[in-house]
Amino acid sequence: MACIMEESGEISRDIHITLGMLDKEDNEGKEDIYSSLATIIQNNDNLSNSTIQRMIFHASKDMRNNDAPREIRMLAGEVLVSLADHDFNSVMDEVQRHFKILELPDEFTVLALAELATSHVSESIPFMTMTLLTIQTMVKLAEEEKMKKAFCIALEKFSKAIFKYINHWEEFPYPKMNANRLSDKIYMLFRFIMDKWTTDMTYETNQAIIKAHGPAVALLLHREDLQEFALHHVPWLLSQYKDVETDFYVTQSLKQLLAAADFYEVYIPKNTKSSIFTLLQKQICGISESRVKENENEAVQCFLILVHSNTLDLLEFFEEQVRFGDENIRVGTFSFLRSAVYADEPKLRDYITLIERTVKIAMDDYNIKVRTSILLLIQSMCEKGYLEASEGWQLIEYIFFQFAFSRRNLVDPIRPINQEYLVAENSVLEISLQVLRGLDPLVNGMPQVLWPKLLTFVVPVEYTGVLPYLFNILRILLMAEEKKQYADESTALVISAGPVKLPSAQQLLARLLVISVLASEGLPCGTGAIGLLKNLSSIIHPNLIELWKDLIPRLLLPLEGNCYKVRLWENMLLEILRETLWKINDKNWSIQLTHEFIQQMGAYYNTSLEKKFLWKALGTTLACCQDVNFVTAQLKDTLINANQMGDQREATVSVLGYCAKNHMDVVLKVLKEFQVDRKSFSNRCKTILYGKKILTKIDLIAVYGNIALQSPKRLLLPIVEKEIVTPVLNLYTSSCQVLGITVLNKNVDLQMTFTKSVTEICIAIRDTEELLNFNFTSKEVLLGHMLDLIREEPLDSLASPVRWKAVIAIQCLSKLKPQLPINDNLNILEESLRSLILLPHLTRIIEDGQTDEDKAHIQFLYGRSMDALGKLMKTLVWRCQEPEECQEMFNLLRIWLASSKEWERERALQICSKVLTNSNESPERFRIGPLLGLFAPHCCDTLATIRLWAADAVIGLFFFKDLPQEMEKLRHLQEGLQSTDSHVQLWIISNMAKMLSKYIPNEEIQAFLEESLDGMENLNAECSKACGLWVITILKEKGAALENELLDILSLIYHHMPVLRLKEQNFNFVLQAITQIANFHLEAVVCNLLNKPLPFDRDIKALWKALAEDSSPNIQLLKALMDKLESGLENDIAETETIAVACAIYEVVSIGIPIRDSYAELLYLLLKLISYTLGQKMPMPTPTLSERRRVLQQAQRFPEGDPCRSLIIWQQEIMIGIMEHMFPSLSSTSETFRIMGTAFFSELMKEPFLWKQGNLREVLFVIDQSAWDTNTTLRQMAIRGLGNVAIGAPQKVKKNKQMLLETVIRGLYHLTRTEVICESLKALKKILELLTDKDVSFYFKEIVLQTRTFFEDEQDDVRLTAFFLFEDLASLTGKRWKMFFTEEIKKSMISFVLHLWDPNPKIGTACRDALAACIPFLGVQDLHALLDRFVDCQEMPKNKEFYRDLCMKLAKKNQDLLWILHTHTFAYFSSSWEGIRSGAAKLTDAIIQNVTPQFLEMLDREQLDSCLQALREDPCVSVQRAAEAAMQTFLRRCREIGNRS
């Protein structure tokens, strides 16, 4: 409550603020304020009294403000009146304060009082007397039009309020007031206005008076003393009809006074009444374009009031107007009568006959508007039961006649019609149907009106359009009567039509049967006709009651919401006809029905469904007729006058064919006689003379075919070839002869009819083939004719249906015995396939059509031809006895499945789909696998249609498996193949493959794979990808069960690999396929691959890598290979298979699979294999240029490669495992494996980590023993290992120095293998670097002597290592061996000097370093400076200069050393190195130049001369030159000595 009060207070404050703005705002602002106030007043009920009073004050002030605009004054008045809802007394008091006697008030004050009177009648009545008295004193003062208008409005409102009070005073809360006093005041006011203001008034005043006239007169009519006065002023009101706006107010006032007159039962004078009728009719029937609908509606309401009060007078007035009036009068009158009927005025039912008579007057009026209005009126009369049995039938007839009349005008107009007329006639047609559609035949009196006269409209063809509604009406009537009979009530339906002629029973049966055929197309009239037959059974023939009671309901049951195929429905109706005629069993009745069918023949179009059924019904009736003479005569007449039956061929075919069901012999006899007669000369002349159109040979061919189809099957076979096939062939061949020569007739009609006839004959024989073992001897002849027709069809167009029909005929012939050989069937099928598949693209074929109809026909032919071809292939395929024959049939399509033309692939797959889809039979041992491989790839083809057909074919392959759920899922997946997204397509076929793989027999997987691999080779990229995916998926699903087929599958894949390698995508799929197989049968795959010849080709290598790359089997693969490698090395030999295992391991490991856990064992096995294959010739492939380049690049990248070293750095823990595996190799019985183990551990001796973690101490002693082995290679590896001890375990060197030195020094004596010597020198160098002079004192002399012997070794590595070692020995020379070492240096001086320019630059450098280390022992310190000077040079100086300077130094410092050099030089003159020979010659030249004369005399001149002479003849030019220079120097010094002496 508090909330409400608070809200009310807020509203009041808002209103006070708003009111405060009224004094400040201009006029525009006030308009918005008053609009807002009006909304607040209407939406709030709890306004405070002060707020209301303040609003009343402001509203009253502004309402009376003459300076304010009218809009604001009107809004203020509305607000003031609306405040009366809250406080009526205050508002009335405010208004009355400004409403004074003899004082003209404000216009809006009067209007406010008038509004208060109508909106608050109950509260205003007590003030009414005073108000009216005051107004009486004011009206005399009114001179302005606005005041007159205001007083007229007040009169109107006050009259309505008083009228309401007088008629409903009991509803008011206070005692009844004197009504006469109130009406007296109205009378005085109305009389004054009519007397004073109507003589000279403006248009606005006139309208105001008219509006007030009706309410005022209506009020005065309640008093008898004022009725005459009131009616006296009615003519004035009627005289005011003059314009559109005024007419509405006049009619409105007239309606009010007529309603009052009817209410108070006031008699209106006849003249006045007549004037009212006439003027009101003008309002309804006027032709003015400015008619207002509201005025017309008011006029109708006036007439409805008059219908209640003056029924007879009004209807007589209407009858007279219809009789003599024009079309507008009639249309308006019938329109009002329709409204009156719908208003269901009780008094109107007493004058039904008068209304019917009025309608009949205008029935001969052909004006469309009149016809329409009559139909609508009849509709309302039927709905409301305004028809009487005696007069109503003509109105019902009128509906049917109008339908037929409009239909005739639209279909066959007498005169040219325009669009407007066409629309109008269509409207009449629709209204007629609408009337019948809504007609309720059970309304009171209607059954007597309608039955049985409605039957007259059943047979005439012009009423065909109304049959659905007519049948419905009749059905309702008959069913209602049937219910009454069950209830033992008296029936109202009698079979008596009076003057109406009813149709005969035969007419009804013929008509209803023909119409019943339309039920096959879902037309209601067809269903209604067959239903009506049941209800009319007693009328048609008494014998049919029980028969039809059983047959027809069974016939109607499937039609509830459905429709049959036309042929099936026709057969059912014909069966009813046969049963009916057999039941009636009356020859005359049947003959009469025959005549009736013939009589109705002209009522239908030749192409209509009814006409075609009529021919069949006629033939069926003749077949049931027992009068053979009548049947014969009728058949002859049919053949002779076939053109009178419409389409003579189809008519003759139907009549004779259906008649043959019971009279086959009669029909064939009549046909034979007809053919003989037509050949007679007289008949030919008559035909030519009279121009009579007779049956042709083509027509007769068609007749024979249908006779075979319709004839009794058991009677057909004995005569079919002689009596039917032979005449057909004779007729066809005679049609193809020109001057006695047989040619192919290009007449399409002949070809089509011949193929159809052959087809029908085959179907007839086929239907009986199971009953009798019948061989069709004419089969091959007919097949030949059909193939000739197909061959002659063009391969670039599809204009005629001959190809289609010929294929159908071939299919039917193929089903008959005898069975043809497989080759003949293949030839037939190939010819048929070529005729369609080789056609151009469908779009191009369709473009040959000239019109849209032609194009649609071509497309239709294409679809039907493809369907027929699919059925033909289906027939031939499933009749094969062996699966190989079935496969041969499908192989015919292979060439087109791989075609580059999309449309050819599409057609081939479409045919396959039709063969396989929904097939209920298949040959035994039918093979799914090869066909699946043939079709499945195309599920990802380029066109969506190809993909869908391919999926259809794939699904069809498994139709025989009876998998309903899987089929449904596959169909759902198939829909997704319409997507153009390749990923979606691949996903779908992957799922399809998963679902179908379980149903493919294992023994057919190989065939599937072969087809798929062929597809990968020959199909486009999309299909190839699909092939691969199908293969991978099926192998994945079926791989575990393919153990028996595994080898064949692998061989098949290997066979295709060379071709598939050409496309990377296909090759990858092959690799995946092998991988999938390996997932299930790894051992078998590995064995199979290992049996491939070495060296592995690139395909096998790729397979190994693919197996390794697959994450599933790679670990098992490596383990399997290692097991095979281990078993292959058990006999200490390496067979080819073992080598193949190693090659496979290489390919597997090369891709980088994780081998950490297997690394140690793997390396051990590989090293063991290497040891066993040393010396064997390996099957190596010839490297290509690119491979050679790659090897060289790798060699340059790793010039000092050491796999063991790299391995240790990579993983030390793995190395421990390798050592454990390799340790037994040191004592292996296989010499080569011992070498391998020794070499391996020799390298490990370098690693300090392994000395700490591994058991290398034991290995050291084993290697030491191996250094004494007889095998030189083993000794070399062992010595290397001993040398590497110095790197890996320096502490072990001193501990085992004796063992090491003795073993290594022994190696220096192995003169047959320089490799051992070189290895010993290197090891000795490494060891000596860790020892002191005391440690090696015992072995020093032996080491020095052995080392010097290798300065001149032919192996560079030996010489180099010897110089390195000698350099180290210089640092180990103690006092004990200094003299010895100095002498050895002098002996070695010649080697140092000459090898400074050794052919190997590294040796020159090593020699220089060794010489530098030895110079201190010679005591010639100047040699250091000389050597340093040459060492510091950017380029190596020429040896001649060095020798000169050296000899000069020695000549001065140490002549003995110079002599030693000279004596040792001779040995080098015969060196195998050119540089050494040249150097020796140059050194000799320098010695001779610098030696003293005493030493010169001591020279063996002869020896020197001979040596130099030999060098002068050396092949090397540089040696020759050096020798020549030395010889010249030698000769010069000799001359000098000679001169001195």
Side-chain angles (χ1 to χ4, degrees), residues 715-784:
L715 300 177
L716 174 67
L717 291 183
I719 65 168
V720 65
E721 298 211 58
K722 180 180 178 181
E723 299 293 339
I724 296 179
V725 176
T726 300
V728 168
L729 284 173
N730 291 336
L731 288 167
Y732 178 69
T733 53
S734 64
S735 299
C736 296
Q737 288 182 348
V738 178
L739 299 177
I741 301 173
T742 301
V743 295
L744 184 65
N745 195 324
K746 296 291 186 178
N747 187 336
V748 175
D749 188 22
L750 172 63
Q751 295 173 347
M752 289 290 296
T753 305
F754 179 56
T755 56
K756 182 181 178 182
S757 182
V758 171
T759 302
E760 290 174 340
I761 293 171
C762 293
I763 292 172
I765 297 173
R766 178 66 179 171
D767 290 343
T768 61
E769 189 178 10
E770 296 178 357
L771 301 176
L772 298 173
N773 190 14
F774 178 76
N775 281 325
F776 189 39
T777 58
S778 304
K779 176 177 178 178
E780 292 191 21
V781 176
L782 293 174
L783 279 173

Side-chain angles (χ1 to χ4, degrees), residues 524-796:
C525 62
T527 309
I530 194 67
L532 189 60
L533 274 175
K534 174 179 176 294
N535 299 114
L536 293 177
S537 58
S538 59
I539 297 175
I540 293 175
H541 200 283
N543 293 352
L544 302 177
I545 297 175
E546 295 300 325
L547 176 68
W548 283 4
K549 187 182 294 184
D550 179 54
L551 287 180
I552 293 180
R554 283 188 293 167
L555 190 68
L556 284 171
L557 185 62
L559 285 176
E560 296 178 357
N562 301 299
C563 60
Y564 278 117
K565 291 184 177 179
V566 175
R567 185 178 298 276
L568 176 60
W569 180 245
E570 286 180 346
N571 291 337
M572 296 170 70
L573 291 177
L574 293 174
E575 184 62 30
I576 287 183
L577 177 59
R578 276 190 288 270
E579 294 284 344
T580 298
L581 293 174
W582 288 120
K583 188 68 176 177
I584 294 174
N585 195 22
D586 186 340
K587 179 175 63 175
N588 294 329
W589 209 95
S590 299
I591 292 173
Q592 184 61 37
L593 181 61
T594 301
H595 290 310
E596 188 57 42
F597 277 130
I598 296 172
Q599 185 69 30
Q600 293 187 15
M601 199 71 70
Y604 306 101
Y605 295 109
N606 292 336
T607 58
S608 66
L609 189 62
E610 301 98 308
K611 187 69 166 280
K612 295 177 181 179
F613 177 75
L614 194 54
W615 296 327
K616 298 173 184 177
L618 176 58
T620 302
T621 305
L622 289 174
C624 295
C625 184
Q626 301 173 9
D627 191 339
V628 176
N629 294 329
F630 174 77
V631 173
T632 303
Q634 194 63 48
L635 290 177
K636 288 182 179 179
D637 185 67
T638 300
L639 290 171
I640 295 170
N641 301 308
N643 60 326
Q644 297 179 5
M645 300 182 69
D647 186 333
Q648 64 178 21
R649 180 185 302 173
E650 191 168 356
T652 308
V653 166
S654 297
V655 173
L656 270 69
Y658 280 88
C659 182
K661 285 182 178 290
N662 293 327
H663 298 298
M664 183 180 71
D665 53 343
V666 175
V667 172
L668 290 175
K669 180 180 178 181
V670 170
L671 264 178
K672 194 171 184 178
E673 292 175 354
F674 174 76
Q675 288 179 264
V676 173
D677 291 343
R678 65 175 290 188
K679 293 179 181 178
S680 66
F681 180 76
S682 59
N683 283 334
R684 291 183 181 179
C685 291
K686 289 180 182 179
T687 302
I688 296 172
L689 181 62
Y690 297 108
K692 187 176 179 180
K693 189 176 180 181
I694 63 172
L695 293 173
T696 64
K697 294 179 180 179
I698 302 175
D699 298 333
L700 294 177
I701 291 173
V703 170
Y704 275 111
N706 199 41
I707 289 173
L709 191 62
Q710 301 295 339
S711 297
K713 305 311 175 187
R714 289 186 178 274
L715 300 177
L716 174 67
L717 291 183
I719 65 168
V720 65
E721 298 211 58
K722 180 180 178 181
E723 299 293 339
I724 296 179
V725 176
T726 300
V728 168
L729 284 173
N730 291 336
L731 288 167
Y732 178 69
T733 53
S734 64
S735 299
C736 296
Q737 288 182 348
V738 178
L739 299 177
I741 301 173
T742 301
V743 295
L744 184 65
N745 195 324
K746 296 291 186 178
N747 187 336
V748 175
D749 188 22
L750 172 63
Q751 295 173 347
M752 289 290 296
T753 305
F754 179 56
T755 56
K756 182 181 178 182
S757 182
V758 171
T759 302
E760 290 174 340
I761 293 171
C762 293
I763 292 172
I765 297 173
R766 178 66 179 171
D767 290 343
T768 61
E769 189 178 10
E770 296 178 357
L771 301 176
L772 298 173
N773 190 14
F774 178 76
N775 281 325
F776 189 39
T777 58
S778 304
K779 176 177 178 178
E780 292 191 21
V781 176
L782 293 174
L783 279 173
H785 284 300
M786 295 301 107
L787 289 176
D788 288 340
L789 293 177
I790 288 178
R791 293 189 192 102
E792 290 299 322
E793 285 295 296
L795 291 177
D796 58 351

